[in-house]
Short mmCIF file of all heavy atoms in Angstrom, two decimals:
data_model
loop_
_atom_site.label_atom_id
_atom_site.label_comp_id
_atom_site.label_asym_id
_atom_site.label_seq_id
_atom_site.Cartn_x
_atom_site.Cartn_y
_atom_site.Cartn_z
N LEU A 927 -64.70 -42.64 117.87
CA LEU A 927 -63.49 -43.47 117.83
C LEU A 927 -63.87 -44.92 117.76
O LEU A 927 -64.92 -45.33 118.29
CB LEU A 927 -62.65 -43.22 119.09
CG LEU A 927 -61.83 -41.94 119.21
CD1 LEU A 927 -61.09 -41.93 120.51
CD2 LEU A 927 -60.87 -41.78 118.05
N SER A 928 -62.99 -45.74 117.20
CA SER A 928 -63.19 -47.18 117.18
C SER A 928 -62.94 -47.72 118.58
O SER A 928 -62.25 -47.14 119.39
CB SER A 928 -62.22 -47.81 116.19
OG SER A 928 -60.90 -47.70 116.68
N LEU A 929 -63.48 -48.90 118.83
CA LEU A 929 -63.29 -49.53 120.13
C LEU A 929 -61.83 -49.83 120.40
O LEU A 929 -61.34 -49.74 121.52
CB LEU A 929 -64.12 -50.84 120.23
CG LEU A 929 -65.61 -50.66 120.36
CD1 LEU A 929 -66.32 -52.00 120.35
CD2 LEU A 929 -65.99 -49.86 121.62
N ALA A 930 -61.08 -50.16 119.34
CA ALA A 930 -59.63 -50.42 119.49
C ALA A 930 -58.90 -49.20 120.01
O ALA A 930 -57.99 -49.33 120.85
CB ALA A 930 -59.05 -50.91 118.17
N LEU A 931 -59.29 -48.02 119.52
CA LEU A 931 -58.64 -46.79 120.00
C LEU A 931 -59.11 -46.41 121.38
O LEU A 931 -58.34 -45.90 122.19
CB LEU A 931 -58.84 -45.65 119.00
CG LEU A 931 -58.14 -45.83 117.66
CD1 LEU A 931 -58.46 -44.68 116.72
CD2 LEU A 931 -56.64 -45.97 117.83
N ILE A 932 -60.37 -46.68 121.68
CA ILE A 932 -60.88 -46.39 123.05
C ILE A 932 -60.14 -47.25 124.07
O ILE A 932 -59.85 -46.79 125.16
CB ILE A 932 -62.42 -46.63 123.11
CG1 ILE A 932 -63.13 -45.56 122.23
CG2 ILE A 932 -62.92 -46.53 124.57
CD1 ILE A 932 -64.62 -45.77 122.08
N GLN A 933 -59.81 -48.48 123.67
CA GLN A 933 -59.07 -49.38 124.57
C GLN A 933 -57.71 -48.79 124.93
O GLN A 933 -57.19 -49.05 126.01
CB GLN A 933 -58.84 -50.76 123.91
CG GLN A 933 -60.06 -51.64 123.96
CD GLN A 933 -59.79 -52.95 123.24
OE1 GLN A 933 -59.49 -52.94 122.06
NE2 GLN A 933 -59.93 -54.05 123.96
N LYS A 934 -57.13 -47.99 124.04
CA LYS A 934 -55.85 -47.37 124.34
C LYS A 934 -56.03 -46.24 125.34
O LYS A 934 -55.11 -45.94 126.13
CB LYS A 934 -55.21 -46.83 123.05
CG LYS A 934 -54.75 -47.91 122.11
CD LYS A 934 -54.08 -47.32 120.90
CE LYS A 934 -53.57 -48.43 120.01
NZ LYS A 934 -52.23 -48.25 119.59
N ILE A 935 -57.18 -45.57 125.30
CA ILE A 935 -57.44 -44.49 126.27
C ILE A 935 -57.65 -45.03 127.68
O ILE A 935 -57.16 -44.48 128.64
CB ILE A 935 -58.65 -43.67 125.78
CG1 ILE A 935 -58.27 -42.93 124.49
CG2 ILE A 935 -59.12 -42.69 126.87
CD1 ILE A 935 -59.46 -42.25 123.80
N ILE A 936 -58.41 -46.16 127.75
CA ILE A 936 -58.67 -46.73 129.07
C ILE A 936 -58.50 -48.25 128.93
O ILE A 936 -59.46 -48.99 128.69
CB ILE A 936 -60.08 -46.35 129.62
CG1 ILE A 936 -60.25 -46.95 131.03
CG2 ILE A 936 -61.20 -46.66 128.69
CD1 ILE A 936 -61.33 -46.24 131.84
N PRO A 937 -57.26 -48.71 129.11
CA PRO A 937 -57.00 -50.17 128.98
C PRO A 937 -57.74 -50.98 130.04
O PRO A 937 -58.18 -50.44 131.05
CB PRO A 937 -55.48 -50.26 129.19
CG PRO A 937 -54.96 -48.89 129.06
CD PRO A 937 -56.08 -47.97 129.42
N ILE A 938 -57.88 -52.26 129.79
CA ILE A 938 -58.67 -53.13 130.69
C ILE A 938 -57.87 -53.60 131.91
O ILE A 938 -58.40 -53.89 132.95
CB ILE A 938 -59.26 -54.32 129.90
CG1 ILE A 938 -60.31 -55.00 130.75
CG2 ILE A 938 -58.18 -55.27 129.45
CD1 ILE A 938 -61.10 -56.09 130.00
N ASP A 939 -56.56 -53.74 131.73
CA ASP A 939 -55.75 -54.38 132.76
C ASP A 939 -55.02 -53.36 133.69
O ASP A 939 -53.82 -53.42 133.86
CB ASP A 939 -54.71 -55.32 132.13
CG ASP A 939 -53.90 -54.60 131.07
OD1 ASP A 939 -54.23 -53.45 130.73
OD2 ASP A 939 -52.92 -55.20 130.56
N ILE A 940 -55.78 -52.44 134.25
CA ILE A 940 -55.18 -51.42 135.10
C ILE A 940 -55.91 -51.40 136.46
O ILE A 940 -57.03 -51.87 136.58
CB ILE A 940 -55.25 -50.01 134.48
CG1 ILE A 940 -56.68 -49.62 134.06
CG2 ILE A 940 -54.30 -49.90 133.27
CD1 ILE A 940 -56.84 -48.23 133.52
N GLU A 941 -55.23 -50.87 137.45
CA GLU A 941 -55.78 -50.83 138.80
C GLU A 941 -56.90 -49.83 138.89
O GLU A 941 -56.98 -48.85 138.09
CB GLU A 941 -54.66 -50.42 139.81
CG GLU A 941 -53.53 -51.41 139.88
CD GLU A 941 -53.95 -52.72 140.52
OE1 GLU A 941 -54.80 -52.71 141.43
OE2 GLU A 941 -53.43 -53.77 140.11
N GLU A 942 -57.75 -49.95 139.88
CA GLU A 942 -58.91 -49.06 140.03
C GLU A 942 -58.45 -47.61 140.21
O GLU A 942 -59.10 -46.68 139.71
CB GLU A 942 -59.80 -49.49 141.23
CG GLU A 942 -61.03 -48.64 141.35
CD GLU A 942 -62.06 -49.19 142.32
OE1 GLU A 942 -62.17 -50.42 142.48
OE2 GLU A 942 -62.79 -48.35 142.89
N ALA A 943 -57.36 -47.38 140.93
CA ALA A 943 -56.85 -46.04 141.12
C ALA A 943 -56.54 -45.36 139.80
O ALA A 943 -56.76 -44.17 139.60
CB ALA A 943 -55.63 -46.04 142.06
N GLU A 944 -55.99 -46.13 138.86
CA GLU A 944 -55.66 -45.61 137.55
C GLU A 944 -56.92 -45.35 136.71
O GLU A 944 -57.01 -44.38 135.99
CB GLU A 944 -54.71 -46.58 136.83
CG GLU A 944 -54.29 -46.15 135.44
CD GLU A 944 -53.43 -44.90 135.42
OE1 GLU A 944 -53.12 -44.31 136.48
OE2 GLU A 944 -53.06 -44.49 134.30
N VAL A 945 -57.90 -46.25 136.87
CA VAL A 945 -59.22 -46.04 136.18
C VAL A 945 -59.79 -44.74 136.69
O VAL A 945 -60.29 -43.93 135.88
CB VAL A 945 -60.21 -47.22 136.43
CG1 VAL A 945 -61.56 -46.91 135.86
CG2 VAL A 945 -59.65 -48.51 135.85
N ARG A 946 -59.76 -44.54 137.99
CA ARG A 946 -60.30 -43.27 138.56
C ARG A 946 -59.58 -42.06 138.00
O ARG A 946 -60.21 -41.08 137.63
CB ARG A 946 -60.18 -43.31 140.08
CG ARG A 946 -60.72 -42.03 140.72
CD ARG A 946 -60.68 -42.09 142.22
NE ARG A 946 -61.27 -40.84 142.74
CZ ARG A 946 -61.65 -40.70 144.02
NH1 ARG A 946 -61.51 -41.70 144.87
NH2 ARG A 946 -62.15 -39.57 144.42
N ARG A 947 -58.25 -42.10 137.94
CA ARG A 947 -57.47 -40.99 137.40
C ARG A 947 -57.86 -40.70 135.97
O ARG A 947 -58.10 -39.55 135.61
CB ARG A 947 -55.96 -41.28 137.51
CG ARG A 947 -55.06 -40.11 137.11
CD ARG A 947 -53.65 -40.52 136.92
NE ARG A 947 -53.46 -41.42 135.79
CZ ARG A 947 -53.47 -41.01 134.50
NH1 ARG A 947 -53.65 -39.74 134.19
NH2 ARG A 947 -53.31 -41.89 133.53
N ILE A 948 -57.94 -41.74 135.15
CA ILE A 948 -58.30 -41.56 133.71
C ILE A 948 -59.73 -41.02 133.62
O ILE A 948 -59.97 -40.07 132.86
CB ILE A 948 -58.19 -42.91 132.98
CG1 ILE A 948 -56.72 -43.32 132.85
CG2 ILE A 948 -58.84 -42.83 131.59
CD1 ILE A 948 -56.51 -44.74 132.33
N TYR A 949 -60.63 -41.54 134.43
CA TYR A 949 -62.02 -41.11 134.35
C TYR A 949 -62.15 -39.62 134.78
O TYR A 949 -62.84 -38.84 134.13
CB TYR A 949 -62.90 -41.98 135.24
CG TYR A 949 -64.34 -41.55 135.22
CD1 TYR A 949 -65.17 -41.83 134.14
CD2 TYR A 949 -64.90 -40.76 136.25
CE1 TYR A 949 -66.50 -41.42 134.07
CE2 TYR A 949 -66.21 -40.31 136.19
CZ TYR A 949 -67.00 -40.65 135.10
OH TYR A 949 -68.30 -40.19 135.05
N GLU A 950 -61.50 -39.23 135.86
CA GLU A 950 -61.58 -37.86 136.35
C GLU A 950 -61.00 -36.88 135.32
O GLU A 950 -61.57 -35.81 135.10
CB GLU A 950 -60.91 -37.73 137.72
CG GLU A 950 -61.75 -38.39 138.82
CD GLU A 950 -61.13 -38.36 140.18
OE1 GLU A 950 -59.87 -38.19 140.26
OE2 GLU A 950 -61.87 -38.52 141.17
N ASN A 951 -59.88 -37.28 134.68
CA ASN A 951 -59.33 -36.43 133.62
C ASN A 951 -60.28 -36.36 132.44
O ASN A 951 -60.45 -35.30 131.82
CB ASN A 951 -57.97 -36.99 133.16
CG ASN A 951 -56.86 -36.71 134.13
OD1 ASN A 951 -56.97 -35.86 134.99
ND2 ASN A 951 -55.79 -37.47 134.04
N TYR A 952 -60.94 -37.47 132.16
CA TYR A 952 -61.84 -37.53 131.00
C TYR A 952 -63.06 -36.61 131.20
O TYR A 952 -63.45 -35.90 130.31
CB TYR A 952 -62.32 -38.97 130.78
CG TYR A 952 -63.27 -39.06 129.60
CD1 TYR A 952 -62.82 -38.94 128.31
CD2 TYR A 952 -64.63 -39.22 129.82
CE1 TYR A 952 -63.70 -39.02 127.23
CE2 TYR A 952 -65.53 -39.27 128.75
CZ TYR A 952 -65.06 -39.15 127.47
OH TYR A 952 -65.93 -39.22 126.37
N ILE A 953 -63.65 -36.62 132.42
CA ILE A 953 -64.82 -35.79 132.62
C ILE A 953 -64.47 -34.33 132.56
O ILE A 953 -65.28 -33.49 132.09
CB ILE A 953 -65.65 -36.15 133.87
CG1 ILE A 953 -64.82 -35.94 135.15
CG2 ILE A 953 -66.14 -37.57 133.80
CD1 ILE A 953 -65.65 -36.11 136.45
N ASP A 954 -63.29 -33.96 133.05
CA ASP A 954 -62.83 -32.55 132.92
C ASP A 954 -62.65 -32.17 131.43
O ASP A 954 -63.11 -31.09 131.00
CB ASP A 954 -61.52 -32.33 133.65
CG ASP A 954 -61.66 -32.37 135.17
OD1 ASP A 954 -62.81 -32.26 135.66
OD2 ASP A 954 -60.65 -32.56 135.87
N THR A 955 -62.03 -33.05 130.65
CA THR A 955 -61.81 -32.80 129.23
C THR A 955 -63.17 -32.75 128.51
O THR A 955 -63.35 -31.91 127.63
CB THR A 955 -60.94 -33.90 128.65
OG1 THR A 955 -59.70 -33.93 129.34
CG2 THR A 955 -60.67 -33.66 127.15
N HIS A 956 -64.07 -33.63 128.89
CA HIS A 956 -65.40 -33.64 128.27
C HIS A 956 -66.11 -32.30 128.43
O HIS A 956 -66.68 -31.74 127.49
CB HIS A 956 -66.23 -34.79 128.88
CG HIS A 956 -67.48 -35.10 128.13
ND1 HIS A 956 -68.63 -34.34 128.28
CD2 HIS A 956 -67.78 -36.08 127.25
CE1 HIS A 956 -69.58 -34.83 127.50
NE2 HIS A 956 -69.08 -35.91 126.87
N GLN A 957 -66.05 -31.77 129.67
CA GLN A 957 -66.73 -30.49 129.93
C GLN A 957 -66.05 -29.35 129.19
O GLN A 957 -66.73 -28.50 128.60
CB GLN A 957 -66.73 -30.24 131.43
CG GLN A 957 -67.64 -29.09 131.83
CD GLN A 957 -68.00 -29.12 133.30
OE1 GLN A 957 -67.25 -29.58 134.10
NE2 GLN A 957 -69.14 -28.58 133.63
N GLN A 958 -64.72 -29.34 129.18
CA GLN A 958 -64.01 -28.24 128.45
C GLN A 958 -64.30 -28.35 126.94
O GLN A 958 -64.49 -27.33 126.27
CB GLN A 958 -62.49 -28.36 128.69
CG GLN A 958 -62.07 -27.96 130.11
CD GLN A 958 -62.57 -26.58 130.50
OE1 GLN A 958 -62.37 -25.61 129.76
NE2 GLN A 958 -63.18 -26.48 131.64
N SER A 959 -64.37 -29.56 126.42
CA SER A 959 -64.66 -29.75 124.99
C SER A 959 -66.07 -29.29 124.67
O SER A 959 -66.30 -28.72 123.60
CB SER A 959 -64.49 -31.23 124.61
OG SER A 959 -63.16 -31.64 124.86
N ALA A 960 -67.02 -29.54 125.57
CA ALA A 960 -68.38 -29.08 125.36
C ALA A 960 -68.46 -27.56 125.27
O ALA A 960 -69.14 -27.00 124.41
CB ALA A 960 -69.32 -29.60 126.46
N LEU A 961 -67.70 -26.89 126.16
CA LEU A 961 -67.66 -25.41 126.13
C LEU A 961 -67.02 -24.90 124.86
O LEU A 961 -67.50 -23.93 124.24
CB LEU A 961 -66.94 -24.89 127.37
CG LEU A 961 -67.61 -25.17 128.72
CD1 LEU A 961 -66.75 -24.70 129.87
CD2 LEU A 961 -69.00 -24.56 128.77
N TYR A 962 -65.96 -25.59 124.39
CA TYR A 962 -65.32 -25.19 123.13
C TYR A 962 -66.30 -25.38 121.97
O TYR A 962 -66.43 -24.56 121.08
CB TYR A 962 -64.04 -26.00 122.88
CG TYR A 962 -63.57 -25.86 121.46
CD1 TYR A 962 -62.88 -24.69 121.10
CD2 TYR A 962 -63.81 -26.80 120.49
CE1 TYR A 962 -62.47 -24.50 119.79
CE2 TYR A 962 -63.40 -26.63 119.21
CZ TYR A 962 -62.75 -25.49 118.85
OH TYR A 962 -62.32 -25.31 117.56
N PHE A 963 -67.02 -26.51 122.02
CA PHE A 963 -68.00 -26.82 120.97
C PHE A 963 -69.09 -25.73 120.88
O PHE A 963 -69.45 -25.27 119.81
CB PHE A 963 -68.61 -28.17 121.22
CG PHE A 963 -69.73 -28.56 120.29
CD1 PHE A 963 -69.48 -28.93 119.02
CD2 PHE A 963 -71.06 -28.47 120.72
CE1 PHE A 963 -70.50 -29.26 118.12
CE2 PHE A 963 -72.09 -28.80 119.87
CZ PHE A 963 -71.83 -29.20 118.59
N ILE A 964 -69.55 -25.27 122.06
CA ILE A 964 -70.54 -24.22 122.08
C ILE A 964 -70.01 -22.97 121.41
O ILE A 964 -70.72 -22.34 120.58
CB ILE A 964 -70.94 -23.91 123.56
CG1 ILE A 964 -71.75 -25.05 124.14
CG2 ILE A 964 -71.75 -22.60 123.64
CD1 ILE A 964 -71.92 -24.95 125.64
N SER A 965 -68.77 -22.60 121.71
CA SER A 965 -68.22 -21.37 121.11
C SER A 965 -68.06 -21.54 119.58
O SER A 965 -68.27 -20.62 118.81
CB SER A 965 -66.87 -20.97 121.74
OG SER A 965 -65.92 -21.97 121.52
N HIS A 966 -67.70 -22.75 119.17
CA HIS A 966 -67.59 -23.08 117.74
C HIS A 966 -68.93 -22.90 117.03
O HIS A 966 -69.04 -22.27 115.98
CB HIS A 966 -67.07 -24.48 117.57
CG HIS A 966 -67.22 -25.06 116.22
ND1 HIS A 966 -66.30 -24.84 115.22
CD2 HIS A 966 -68.15 -25.84 115.67
CE1 HIS A 966 -66.66 -25.43 114.10
NE2 HIS A 966 -67.81 -26.05 114.36
N VAL A 967 -69.99 -23.44 117.60
CA VAL A 967 -71.34 -23.35 117.02
C VAL A 967 -71.78 -21.90 116.97
O VAL A 967 -72.36 -21.44 115.98
CB VAL A 967 -72.35 -24.22 117.75
CG1 VAL A 967 -73.76 -24.00 117.25
CG2 VAL A 967 -71.98 -25.71 117.63
#
């Protein structure tokens, strides 16, 4: 993704609690995507 689109996923002007929520959702999605990728390969 371009940096402009990444900024939409995790904007700069948000509270730490919101950064944590986004990050925790992201790592769960990252792991599920990796498992899907494995099945695809």
Side-chain angles (χ1 to χ4, degrees):
L927 285 179
S928 68
L929 289 176
L931 291 178
I932 293 172
Q933 281 178 301
K934 291 183 176 227
I935 292 171
I936 184 161
I938 193 172
D939 53 351
I940 54 177
E941 297 292 325
E942 184 169 330
E944 180 65 359
V945 174
R946 178 176 183 165
R947 185 193 67 77
I948 291 169
Y949 179 78
E950 288 177 339
N951 286 341
Y952 180 74
I953 63 172
D954 289 343
T955 301
H956 192 281
Q957 191 161 29
Q958 289 305 311
S959 300
L961 295 176
Y962 168 77
F963 174 76
I964 290 168
S965 65
H966 166 83
V967 173

